Amino acid sequence: MNKTYYFFPAASFRKPTNLKTGFLLLSVIALLTLSAKVYAQTSPATAPVAPVYPRMAGYLGVLHPLVTWNETGRETNFDRYYVVGFPIGLNLWKTPKLGFSVEIVPTIRAENGTSRVANVLFHPGILINLGHDFTLASRLAFETSGRYGFTPVLNKIVRKGPTNSYFVAVPLPVRFGNDHAASFTLGLQMGIVF
């Protein structure tokens, strides 16, 4: 006695007439499932999504202090030595206009053929959205070198992408302490926000 087996477990599908009905039913179910996925994926993609607050963003950058002034005169980076910093931070935006930021900046100094980590800066602050992709950061500054002070930073997003943005910033550090004269520095920072 020969038995014919089909790929369907139900006993009603064992006859060829029910097999055609089964294929038709599965085809309709598959078509409905596929069409539902296509419409579900295309509808929301067209509508812009508004950011939800609070929200967090991280960033990495490269910082070049360009010129430093104090009571003894002016020092220029790239002259007798080279100093570069690598800001790493997190921004917590509480509202679209106001946020909090914490930043750590290890600084490397190259001089006379050697280089070393010369300083690490802890840099918390308040963020104020000025509009048109400009942000003002008002930061406190605590350095492992013993210096302290504050740093206003003007930041501009120069290119926005789907997952990250690129920025340019001008930090203006003011420092005191550790038996050194008060100083003011003009810097240039570039980085990526993700």
Side-chain angles (χ1 to χ4, degrees):
M1 189 163 154
N2 288 338
K3 289 187 177 182
T4 306
Y5 294 99
Y6 299 96
F7 293 104
F8 302 100
S12 62
F13 289 132
R14 292 189 186 191
K15 295 182 183 178
T17 56
N18 288 341
L19 183 62
K20 288 180 185 175
T21 306
F23 275 127
L24 180 62
L25 182 61
L26 284 176
S27 298
V28 169
I29 291 171
L31 184 61
L32 289 173
T33 304
L34 290 175
S35 65
K37 285 184 180 177
V38 169
Y39 289 119
Q41 290 177 356
T42 56
S43 301
T46 58
V49 178
V52 178
Y53 291 92
R55 70 181 180 92
M56 186 173 284
Y59 64 92
L60 300 168
V62 176
L63 166 67
H64 294 285
L66 301 175
V67 183
T68 300
W69 292 273
N70 61 24
E71 68 182 22
T72 62
R74 179 183 70 176
E75 284 188 40
T76 306
N77 198 6
F78 311 102
D79 189 12
R80 295 177 296 116
Y81 58 85
Y82 172 61
V83 175
V84 61
F86 298 97
I88 304 160
L90 289 173
N91 295 337
L92 175 62
W93 287 95
K94 189 72 174 161
T95 69
K97 294 286 186 187
L98 189 64
F100 174 75
S101 179
V102 64
E103 178 179 80
I104 296 177
V105 186
T107 304
I108 297 173
R109 182 180 179 115
E111 187 175 19
N112 299 326
T114 64
S115 60
R116 63 185 173 89
V117 176
N119 192 28
V120 177
L121 168 64
F122 177 63
H123 223 195
I126 301 296
L127 303 172
I128 301 168
N129 183 348
L130 301 175
H132 304 289
D133 294 328
F134 282 96
T135 303
L136 175 65
S138 299
R139 299 183 178 280
L140 295 174
F142 307 98
E143 300 183 358
T144 58
S145 67
R147 304 277 283 168
Y148 59 92
F150 60 93
T151 308
V153 181
L154 184 61
N155 182 33
K156 167 76 170 141
I157 299 290
V158 292
R159 184 171 179 204
K160 287 186 178 182
T163 58
N164 52 33
S165 299
Y166 300 93
F167 69 89
V168 174
V170 178
L172 303 169
V174 176
R175 298 293 184 266
F176 309 98
N178 200 20
D179 293 328
H180 289 82
S183 64
F184 171 75
T185 303
L186 170 66
L188 177 65
Q189 180 177 336
M190 297 161 280
I192 183 170
V193 179
F194 50 92

